[in-house]
Amino acid sequence: MAYVSTLRCRSCSREYPAEPVNVCEFCFGPLEVVYDYGAIAKVISRERIAAGPLSMWRYQDLLPVDGSEAVDINAGFTPLIKCHNLGEALGLRNLYVKNDAVNPSYSFKDRVVSVAATKAVEFGFDTLACASTGNLACSVAAHAARAGLKARVFIPADLEHGKVVGAAIYNPTLIAVEGSYDEVNRLCSEISDNYRWAFVNINIRPYYAEGSKTLAYEVAEQLGWRAPDHAVVPLASGSMFTKIWKGFQEFSDLGLIGSVPTKMHATQAAGCAPIVEAHREGTLHIRPIRPDTIAKSLAIGNPADGLFALQTVKESGGSATAVPEEEIVEGIKLLAETEGIFTETAGGVVVSGLKHLVKQNRIEPDELTVVYITGNGLKTQEAVEEVVNPLFIKPNLESFEEAMSKRTDISR
Ligand SMILES: *Cc1c(COP(=O)(O)O)cnc(C)c1O
Ligand SMILES: [Zn+2]
């Protein structure tokens, strides 16, 4: 059974029954799931979690749905990898990558959509929908296929090919909108007022967002039941960032880990950094911008959870970094060449962001640092096409040796 008690407005604290609503009627603040932690504390334990399924559903006591009925394509339980090579390149001795690029639809979005799709079925919806910057489209289409739901998936028309194909293959109704993500999102809010569809990141958003907490639970369990000193995270709406923080807090409050030393470091691409800008200006007021970045998965100019992300930075003693556009591909290459992990542009942002954090002495060499890699590089091939150089040869030894002798780059 699920331990949800109500929804609560994050701005004015008014409570609402746990229904498919996401906005407070009084102040228009976002609603968040409230749990009966007393009841959870009576059942949860390290042993109970460890005996659970090898997926995000091992943490179902802390999710707002009944996991036995989950719409599940096996999201989560992804590797946490100790990275000696990348650590050496950056001057860190205790560095880990949480590799969420290997989820079933190749991004962390499977965690949030698995919860949202399960909730949609529970509420009796027959249609799963979303406004997406790309990865969400793939995940919603995949989960709808698994659940036998109809799918209405809205994307900006200029997305990377890998994300269009990665969503279209599940045969959703895929709607490519001539406009930015923020325009797609506005359109979808209007549509959701007129159609009874489960928009995972609109009317189902309070439940959807909870799925990201499993990124904290898993890391804590994989580290031997502790929270890291630093978490470095890419932000679009800012939701995942705030929920990773919430996940560590919950584990600590329930006595599953000790106190939480984690400093939460927010990273965005320079071409779309409204949260970082607000942090730099020392304000909690986010000024919406028009994105111009190759990190399309992070291209939200008007981030719904920006305020809460800023509060998380502050509460945790973390930081916020904008990564210059030309360093995004460098970050992708660095992770690939040192650790054999191919991430998308959002991963390039966090890896290069980490480099800046080390340079600014925000992270000490021995501190336990976790970098969240949230999406897969095969979906953003356009970004790296110019930096990959195969040797084209004739099928004979001479041609091979000639090509090798002319090799000027520094490939291994
Ligand atoms: C959506 C997405 C994010 C950010 O998610 P938010 O919760 O909106 O901040 C990060 N990385 C990747 C790869 C994504 O697709
Ligand atoms: Zn309110």
Side-chain angles (χ1 to χ4, degrees), residues 9 11-12 24 27 29:
C9 175
S11 301
C12 76
C24 175
C27 77

Side-chain angles (χ1 to χ4, degrees), residues 106-109 112 133-136 163 181 205 208 212 233-242 268 275 296-298 300 305 343-347 372-376 379:
Y106 307 104
S107 83
F108 95 94
K109 292 292 198 304
V112 279
T133 57
N135 285 316
L136 188 58
K163 285 175 187 164
Y181 169 81
R205 189 174 181 86
Y208 157 97
S212 289
V233 180
L235 278 71
S237 72
S239 172
M240 173 185 50
F241 183 74
T242 64
Q268 296 195 290
I275 299 172
K296 297 185 184 203
S297 54
L298 305 181
I300 299 185
D305 289 277
T343 185
E344 69 144 78
T345 44
Y372 282 88
I373 296 299
T374 49
N376 195 297
K379 285 199 212 169

Side-chain angles (χ1 to χ4, degrees), residues 9-14 16 23-31:
C9 175
R10 291 176 84 172
S11 301
C12 76
S13 298
R14 273 196 178 78
Y16 294 82
V23 180
C24 175
E25 286 171 13
F26 292 87
C27 77
F28 302 106
L31 304 184

